[in-house]
Amino acid sequence: MAFNDWWRSQPPSFRDSVSRSAARACFRAGYTAGKHASERRFVFRAGRMRITVWATGAMEARRKAETEADFRAAKNGWPKPKARWQLQEVK
């Protein structure tokens, strides 16, 4: 809905020069980044999972990633590791 409103407000020259799908991808990225303006994006690998979280610092990001890993494991019926999740930050 927000994208459609924004797209219609653009001048015809812009709409002719940019494909709708490319504009939507850029709009989503900008919208997400603006929504988390005071936070940074962290990406972790935990086993086969790739976990993306938004946090103000690395410690908070690890805590959120562990919580997300626990949630996904429970949802899929996987056991949680006894030695906690080995999170590797993806650069």
Side-chain angles (χ1 to χ4, degrees):
M1 182 80 159
F3 171 75
N4 290 333
D5 293 341
W6 174 80
W7 182 251
R8 283 191 291 265
S9 70
Q10 300 305 310
S13 60
F14 176 79
R15 286 185 294 199
D16 293 339
S17 67
V18 177
S19 73
R20 191 172 171 91
S21 61
R24 183 182 313 239
C26 292
F27 180 85
R28 282 185 179 168
Y31 182 83
T32 300
K35 199 165 116 177
H36 299 283
S38 63
E39 298 175 326
R40 290 180 20 221
R41 181 175 165 255
F42 294 87
V43 179
F44 295 97
R45 289 204 74 75
R48 291 181 276 167
M49 295 183 283
R50 181 181 168 103
I51 300 171
T52 303
V53 295
W54 289 86
T56 55
M59 293 303 291
E60 179 187 0
R62 284 193 174 277
R63 192 172 56 251
K64 285 182 174 184
E66 285 180 4
T67 302
E68 179 65 20
D70 288 342
F71 172 76
R72 291 184 191 182
K75 185 173 80 172
N76 291 319
W78 301 336
K80 287 194 312 188
K82 292 180 182 176
R84 297 177 54 185
W85 293 102
Q86 300 301 312
L87 296 173
Q88 297 174 338
E89 189 170 355
V90 176
K91 298 287 179 178

